Amino acid sequence: MAADGFAPVLAALTTMQSSADQAQKLQAHTFLEAFQKSPEAWTSTHTILSSPEVPLEAKLFAATTLKGKIIYDLDQIPRSSLPPLRDSLLSVLSEFRSGPRPIRTQLCVCLANLAIQMTEWKDVLPYVGSRLGSSAGDCILEFLQVLPEEVTEGRKINLTEEDLISRTKELLEDNAPHVMTLLVQYSKSSGKYVSQKIPEPSADSSIASAATNPRLLECMTSWLREIPAADIVQSPLLDVVVNGLSSDTSFEASVDCMCAIYRDTREVDESFETIQLLYPKIVALQPKIAEAADLQDTDALKGITRVFAEAGEAWVVMIARLPDEFRGLVEAILECCARDQDREAISLTFLFWNEFKQMITVERYQRARARFGDIFAKLVDIMIKHLEFPTPEGPSEIDLFGGDRVQEEKFREFRHAMGDVLKDCCEVITVTECLGKAFNLIQDWVAAYASQSTANHVPHWQQLEAPLFAMRAMGRMVSPEESVVMHQLIPLIVQIPDHEKLRFQAIMALGRYTEWTAQHPEFLQQQLNFVIAGFDHPSGEVVRASALAFRFFGTECRKLLKDHCVPLHGFYESILDKLPQVSQDELTEGVSYVVSAQPPERIYETLKLYCDPLVERLKIRANHAKIEPDEKGLVALSDTLILLNIFINNVQPYYAPTDENQAVKYCREILPVLSAVADNFTDNVNILEGICKCWRTMIFSYRTAVFPLLADLANQLAKGFQDSRAGCFLWVTDAILREFADGQEFVEPGTTEAIYAFFEQQAIAFLRIMDQMSPGDIPDVIEDFFRLLIDALIYYNHQLIPAAICGPTLSAAIASLVLQQEGPLIMTLHYIRDFLSYGTDRPTSSRFGEMSNAARHPSAAELKKIVKDLMVIQGEALVQLTLAGMMFSFPRDCLQDASGVLIALFELMPQQTASWFGGTIATLPTGSFKAGETDRIMNNIATKIQAGDIRKLKSVLQDFTISYRRRNVAPRDGLLGAPEPARFKYKG
């Protein structure tokens, strides 16, 4: 039988779907990938699709393969064979006109992409209609649906920009009126087809009328890219869309179509007449909200909510201008929120409320703000009600979601989104009114249930927890000067029953009002007592909430707490080791800000009070980890470094330049301890990074005041990098490089020279590492080094570019382009592009005017010559590796930067770069290009160079490499066919 030709394909598909081992599946996968790219796939796919004995899964694979062939490999067959291919494809499509739909859809996509590329085919729609015949209504509608979608995604098609624009006009713009007429005719048909082009649905269809056919509505939605919404609204098709909302079959498609119509009416001034026709029909749908809610039809309620909410989003400007005329729409959106008991649809309204708030809080729309104040007041009530946790059906309150963890997480995320809506309400009707609503609910609960509460049972706690959460959510909106609600609310909160969720929410709420408390110190003590008591609560969540709240109290109320440093230290020491690490960090944040509020003369002694015990912990844990290097001990050591870093980061006192910085004085004391730990843990990246973060934070916090530490610190950084080869030592080098650059305030020229010499020492150490290891072994170090190099170019270009290490660092950058990790590649490409900019009149940074000793450094013209001379030597390798990466291995997010490097090189040396480019693509396999493709790209490059349009080469290069990549490079193919890079060598 005919299956002999494609039997291996069927066998490979069977293997992929079977329980075969991984090696067999990998072999089958590789075979199928090769088959999809082969010329033989053209005939095999047709044969598979036409063979009745082949299973549907194989036919779907064949249809998908055929789609890929048409999109990427159409050049494999001569242009004269395209009409037979079209007719063959139409014959196959006719066989699948009634389904299965996945295969039919793939074949329609095939036909659409062939139509796009077969530019000589001018009568696409009439030809398709006549060939498919009168019994293929759904099939033709689906083709009409995918055609605009595929044209819109046309950048994956190998057409020039001009050809694609022309073909888009022919297929869409010129056909839009005809398609509109056909859609109207089809919508009126029932039982008989309306024309030879668009027949009625097949007789065995379950759809009673063409007007409720979802395919018609999907087709209409797709063509709204070309057909103006005004034409749809002013035609019988609008009734088709509206009536479709009453049909289960067409409901979802009608919702999508209606929302697509809205998107075309966002320019409300241009679309005012269209909106006037649409609005009454939309508002008339409001009874469907109650209908869907009463039937507990979640999908219907979500759909009708979309209809109203997206109308509001599209017409928000008009609603603000004409609040009385459009009030009905806003009321309908509010009703959607109120009736959504399952909280499935309400999130669809959140964007509308936010955009509406932004509009009516503008001065010119104050009348609308007043007119809709009652709506937002009701919205607050609705939102707080929706914030309530569910009430369990049984007596147990431990699991409120019946074990459904997904639903529980969804509810938590949903509450925070509703909190944002409450913030919007605060801006419209004032925070005092919104806060008052939460306060009233808390008061109501206290009056009704407080007397019934016991240590083991709090009745209807959900009704108290929800307004507490609302209060927490609105905290950011409350002014420190608020004087109506907060004075009554705070004393009430600190007396709530000791229920886990209530205590958690109350503490979290208090943490949001610390800015207000800072202005009202009489309320501080009772809140602080309430929060500190939470550290002894049996619930871990309450303890974590207490630590977070204390962080906010320490941050905002530091001046009120500065005289309590000693007793606070006793509390800190007593509780610290009992907390989880995240809570240790947050508690430390709070106390560090209290320390930062000390007078300058007390900074040193207070830092010693708090940090010396941490340093002792560090020593003990380091000794323990060295003797018994278990994972828990190493983690504890890293965690201690984090706490120390928090103090260094937050305690930043001000001293005159002539005075000794007391914080730096303390840092100088602990520097030997940190250095000793680094020396003893050269193989533990986490510990080294923790130490380097401390050192880098010292520089960021105290800036040039760290000068007394520089000599010791530089020695330790150089030693640490050589011993460990950890990139974190380069982080600190980078911070020093920037802070002590030439021209910075209080930096002597001699210091700058010494800093640059230190940088060169680190660069040489890196080059030696690169000489001994392949880039793939040290991607993180490469990323850190070239981040350092980028700053070195900015602040020290006058020294770096003429230096002996410049050529080797450029070679190292080019050698690093074999990597496939996004971070290192982006840093490397940025460095190369910045370096090339110094060969032009637009360098990334020019600091000649800022330098104290500019006369002693090379001029801009001398730097240009050095850059160009280096490119003459290394430019070819740069083009080879960059182009290979774009065509084979770079992650997609690197392609922009890679093309930027090539453009920079074209601007610097256009003719030579074009020659290198041509030489590179000449080394690639001959069968990997379409006929004439290499000549076309080279001619295009030559034309752009001659015209001086170098920047326009960017899209040319990206389109060329992306097209090549899609055709020839399968996922995880590696660098098959790519030029082989030379190994980096450093002999300095």
Side-chain angles (χ1 to χ4, degrees):
M1 65 176 184
D4 292 344
F6 55 80
V9 176
L10 298 182
L13 288 170
T14 301
T15 300
M16 292 296 294
Q17 295 165 6
S18 70
S19 57
D21 61 45
Q22 199 61 33
Q24 289 176 304
K25 288 191 173 185
L26 180 61
Q27 185 179 3
H29 184 265
T30 304
F31 170 79
L32 291 173
E33 282 182 341
F35 165 75
Q36 286 181 314
K37 296 172 186 176
S38 68
E40 294 75 23
W42 288 105
T43 53
S44 296
T45 51
H46 277 78
T47 309
I48 292 172
L49 287 164
S50 303
S51 301
E53 69 276 9
V54 172
L56 291 177
E57 292 82 1
K59 292 188 176 185
L60 180 59
F61 171 78
T64 305
T65 299
L66 187 56
K67 177 186 71 175
K69 299 300 289 181
I70 290 173
I71 293 174
Y72 304 122
D73 298 332
L74 201 60
D75 62 298
Q76 289 181 347
I77 55 178
R79 298 295 294 186
S80 59
S81 297
L82 294 187
L85 172 63
R86 172 195 61 193
D87 294 342
S88 173
L89 185 56
L90 281 164
S91 297
V92 173
L93 180 57
S94 182
E95 294 178 23
F96 290 94
R97 61 185 177 274
S98 300
R101 194 179 177 194
I103 298 175
R104 186 179 72 195
T105 299
Q106 290 296 320
L107 293 174
C108 286
V109 173
C110 290
L111 190 59
N113 279 284
L114 181 60
I116 296 169
Q117 297 182 82
M118 193 174 167
T119 53
E120 61 271 28
W121 184 14
K122 302 299 182 183
D123 58 341
V124 174
L125 298 190
Y127 191 86
V128 171
S130 63
R131 284 298 304 267
L132 291 178
S134 60
S135 60
D138 278 7
C139 185
I140 297 176
L141 284 174
E142 186 157 14
F143 171 71
L144 287 176
Q145 176 193 339
V146 302
L147 183 61
E149 296 168 357
E150 294 303 309
V151 172
T152 304
E153 298 295 322
R155 276 317 325 141
K156 64 189 177 185
I157 298 295
N158 193 33
L159 288 179
T160 65
E161 195 70 37
E162 295 78 10
D163 287 345
L164 184 58
I165 291 171
S166 174
R167 195 57 174 159
T168 300
K169 180 179 183 301
E170 290 176 357
L171 291 175
L172 302 186
E173 186 179 336
D174 294 349
N175 277 316
H178 181 53
V179 171
M180 175 73 181
T181 301
L182 295 176
L183 293 176
V184 172
Q185 289 177 349
Y186 183 86
S187 69
K188 296 177 180 178
S189 69
S190 179
K192 293 184 178 180
Y193 62 87
V194 294
S195 75
Q196 293 182 344
K197 279 78 176 180
I198 302 292
E200 66 166 351
S202 55
D204 59 347
S205 172
S206 61
I207 301 173
S209 168
T212 58
N213 186 349
R215 302 291 90 74
L216 169 65
L217 292 155
E218 290 165 359
C219 183
M220 202 185 309
T221 302
S222 184
W223 275 88
L224 274 164
R225 291 173 169 87
E226 293 298 325
I227 299 173
D231 292 354
I232 299 287
V233 172
Q234 295 169 17
S235 76
L237 292 175
L238 178 59
D239 288 332
V240 172
V241 180
V242 174
N243 294 336
L245 294 169
S246 301
S247 166
D248 291 342
T249 306
S250 57
F251 177 78
E252 187 176 339
S254 292
V255 171
D256 290 338
C257 189
M258 185 65 79
C259 293
I261 292 172
Y262 297 153
R263 285 193 285 274
D264 201 30
T265 61
R266 284 183 175 272
E267 296 295 331
V268 293
D269 292 319
E270 298 175 8
S271 306
F272 186 62
E273 291 182 7
T274 304
I275 295 171
Q276 283 183 310
L277 292 172
L278 264 176
Y279 183 74
K281 293 184 178 291
I282 300 303
V283 175
L285 296 169
Q286 189 167 354
K288 290 187 174 294
I289 303 171
E291 180 184 329
D294 292 343
L295 293 172
Q296 296 184 339
D297 188 339
T298 302
D299 291 337
L301 185 58
K302 288 172 70 174
I304 203 67
T305 300
R306 265 192 74 197
V307 168
F308 287 112
E310 293 198 28
E313 293 166 24
W315 304 337
V316 66
V317 176
M318 195 63 70
I319 300 171
R321 288 181 189 171
L322 304 170
D324 295 322
E325 290 83 345
F326 284 87
R327 183 180 174 86
L329 177 58
V330 182
E331 289 176 341
I333 299 172
L334 184 72
E335 183 181 351
C336 291
C337 296
R339 291 188 178 275
D340 182 24
Q341 297 305 311
D342 293 331
R343 306 181 187 94
E344 293 288 342
I346 190 172
S347 61
L348 298 170
T349 70
F350 291 169
L351 180 59
F352 164 72
W353 295 120
N354 180 258
E355 293 187 350
F356 191 35
K357 176 267 299 185
Q358 292 183 52
M359 192 60 61
I360 62 177
T361 50
V362 175
E363 185 65 32
R364 66 183 296 185
Y365 296 127
Q366 288 306 294
R367 187 172 76 88
R369 181 176 184 173
R371 185 73 181 85
F372 288 108
D374 63 319
I375 296 282
F376 277 89
K378 292 175 184 175
L379 183 61
V380 174
D381 296 332
I382 292 168
M383 288 294 159
I384 294 179
K385 185 64 179 174
H386 279 310
L387 286 171
E388 290 183 11
F389 271 96
T391 302
E393 296 179 1
S396 173
E397 292 189 351
I398 296 176
D399 195 343
L400 301 172
F401 294 88
D404 190 341
R405 293 289 168 260
V406 174
Q407 196 65 27
E408 182 177 359
E409 185 60 32
K410 184 178 177 183
F411 176 70
R412 292 180 188 277
E413 293 175 2
F414 165 76
R415 296 180 104 205
H416 289 288
M418 281 200 295
D420 292 336
V421 178
L422 288 172
K423 295 185 186 77
D424 293 336
C425 295
C426 289
E427 293 192 54
V428 176
I429 60 172
T430 76
V431 68
T432 298
E433 182 173 349
C434 294
L435 207 56
K437 286 179 173 292
F439 173 61
N440 290 336
L441 289 169
I442 294 172
Q443 273 192 320
D444 292 345
W445 186 92
V446 170
Y449 304 114
S451 62
Q452 304 173 33
S453 299
T454 66
N456 298 319
H457 177 66
V458 179
H460 304 286
W461 62 266
Q462 293 91 338
Q463 296 176 23
L464 177 57
E465 194 271 350
L468 285 172
F469 182 93
M471 179 190 161
R472 167 189 165 192
M474 294 184 284
R476 186 169 59 84
M477 309 302 297
V478 176
S479 165
E481 287 75 38
E482 204 284 328
S483 58
V484 178
V485 180
M486 292 299 297
H487 291 77
Q488 307 171 67
L489 191 52
I490 294 296
L492 200 59
I493 289 177
V494 297
Q495 298 179 50
I496 65 156
D498 190 17
H499 180 283
E500 177 187 355
K501 292 197 180 300
L502 295 178
R503 192 66 179 262
F504 170 83
Q505 212 56 257
I507 291 174
M508 292 293 284
L510 293 177
R512 293 299 176 91
Y513 290 87
T514 50
E515 191 176 346
W516 182 89
T517 302
Q519 301 299 317
H520 301 83
E522 67 272 21
F523 292 94
L524 173 61
Q525 192 62 54
Q526 56 184 310
Q527 294 182 72
L528 208 55
N529 290 342
F530 186 77
V531 170
I532 289 176
F535 283 97
D536 295 323
H537 200 279
S539 166
E541 279 202 1
V542 174
V543 172
R544 287 191 289 273
S546 299
L548 180 58
F550 191 91
R551 171 189 168 192
F552 294 130
F553 276 98
T555 303
E556 300 295 342
C557 304
R558 66 184 88 171
K559 292 181 180 178
L560 301 178
L561 294 170
K562 67 179 182 180
D563 295 331
H564 302 276
C565 248
V566 174
L568 188 58
H569 173 257
F571 162 72
Y572 177 68
E573 277 297 309
S574 68
I575 199 71
L576 184 64
D577 292 330
K578 300 175 184 178
L579 299 175
Q581 181 58 36
V582 172
S583 297
Q584 287 187 27
D585 296 350
E586 288 165 344
L587 178 62
T588 303
E589 286 272 355
V591 297
S592 67
Y593 278 111
V594 177
V595 172
S596 74
Q598 301 301 300
E601 64 273 13
R602 292 188 56 195
I603 288 292
Y604 173 75
E605 63 183 78
T606 312
L607 268 178
K608 278 188 72 67
L609 176 68
Y610 277 88
C611 293
D612 273 1
L614 293 178
V615 174
E616 283 304 311
R617 283 183 178 87
L618 188 68
K619 293 177 182 176
I620 293 169
R621 290 172 178 175
N623 289 332
H624 181 271
K626 195 65 180 174
I627 298 168
E628 299 179 28
D630 62 300
E631 184 64 25
K632 186 177 179 181
L634 293 170
V635 169
L637 181 56
S638 296
D639 292 344
T640 308
L641 289 165
I642 292 172
L643 301 182
L644 202 56
N645 186 59
I646 290 171
F647 278 101
I648 298 169
N649 185 64
N650 294 339
V651 182
Q652 299 183 22
Y654 172 76
Y655 295 91
T658 54
D659 296 339
E660 182 183 22
N661 189 307
Q662 297 293 301
V664 174
K665 178 182 176 182
Y666 183 74
C667 289
R668 193 169 192 175
E669 286 186 9
I670 65 172
L671 185 61
V673 177
L674 296 175
S675 298
V677 175
D679 289 342
N680 281 281
F681 292 91
T682 54
D683 58 344
N684 191 298
V685 174
N686 291 332
I687 292 173
L688 293 177
E689 287 185 355
I691 293 169
C692 287
K693 282 177 183 175
C694 288
W695 287 338
R696 185 175 60 170
T697 304
M698 289 177 191
I699 296 161
F700 289 158
S701 293
Y702 313 124
R703 308 181 69 86
T704 52
V706 301
F707 178 77
L709 309 182
L710 276 188
D712 292 338
L713 185 55
N715 289 335
Q716 185 59 45
L717 292 174
K719 181 177 183 299
F721 184 50
Q722 291 177 13
D723 292 346
S724 69
R725 298 180 174 181
C728 54
F729 290 95
L730 302 178
W731 303 348
V732 194
T733 305
D734 194 5
I736 294 173
L737 202 68
R738 280 181 283 167
E739 195 57 47
F740 291 88
D742 195 6
Q744 300 282 50
E745 194 176 14
F746 309 123
V747 178
E748 296 294 329
T751 301
T752 300
E753 296 296 331
I755 295 298
Y756 176 75
F758 163 58
F759 156 74
E760 276 208 0
Q761 182 182 358
Q762 296 289 72
I764 290 170
F766 170 80
L767 294 173
R768 286 174 177 156
I769 293 171
M770 276 283 286
D771 181 61
Q772 297 165 16
M773 305 179 73
S774 69
D777 295 329
I778 50 169
D780 293 340
V781 182
I782 287 173
E783 180 177 356
D784 295 328
F785 179 71
F786 286 109
R787 184 182 284 110
L788 168 64
L789 258 290
I790 289 169
D791 281 337
L793 271 179
I794 293 174
Y795 297 107
Y796 295 87
N797 51 73
H798 51 282
Q799 291 169 284
L800 174 58
I801 293 176
I805 64 165
C806 186
T809 55
L810 181 62
S811 299
I814 295 171
S816 299
L817 295 179
V818 299
L819 291 170
Q820 298 184 37
Q821 294 95 328
E822 185 177 313
L825 276 173
I826 287 177
M827 279 301 128
T828 304
L829 291 166
H830 282 191
Y831 163 70
I832 295 172
R833 191 168 58 182
D834 288 355
F835 175 78
L836 291 174
S837 75
Y838 289 93
T840 70
D841 296 325
R842 302 182 307 279
T844 301
S845 172
S846 177
R847 296 171 51 84
F848 288 107
E850 303 173 30
M851 294 186 297
S852 59
N853 51 358
R856 295 192 292 109
H857 294 300
S859 65
E862 291 173 308
L863 294 183
K864 284 183 190 178
K865 183 177 184 306
I866 294 170
V867 171
K868 289 184 178 179
D869 288 346
L870 281 171
M871 278 300 105
V872 169
I873 300 169
Q874 303 196 42
E876 184 172 13
L878 174 59
V879 171
Q880 286 180 349
L881 269 295
T882 305
L883 191 56
M886 292 178 70
M887 299 173 81
F888 293 95
S889 62
F890 285 173
R892 293 205 174 276
D893 287 346
C894 295
L895 297 183
Q896 281 278 97
D897 292 311
S899 60
V901 166
L902 291 178
I903 293 301
L905 197 53
F906 270 112
E907 288 181 330
L908 191 65
M909 313 169 71
Q911 300 298 336
Q912 206 155 2
T913 305
S915 174
W916 292 330
F917 187 95
T920 300
I921 62 176
T923 64
L924 297 170
T926 54
S928 60
F929 291 104
K930 295 185 177 184
E933 188 174 13
T934 54
D935 292 338
R936 194 160 49 246
I937 183 70
M938 294 309 299
N939 290 336
N940 211 338
I941 289 172
T943 302
K944 294 288 190 293
I945 291 174
Q946 190 171 2
D949 291 334
I950 300 295
R951 304 304 298 177
K952 291 184 179 179
L953 276 176
K954 192 167 189 176
S955 61
V956 173
L957 295 175
Q958 287 184 343
D959 288 349
F960 170 73
T961 53
I962 289 172
S963 175
Y964 182 93
R965 191 170 183 147
R966 282 185 175 134
R967 288 195 315 271
N968 298 288
V969 184
R972 299 180 182 84
D973 266 359
L975 296 179
L976 297 177
E980 188 69 27
R983 175 71 185 268
F984 173 77
K985 294 291 182 184
Y986 179 63
K987 299 177 181 178

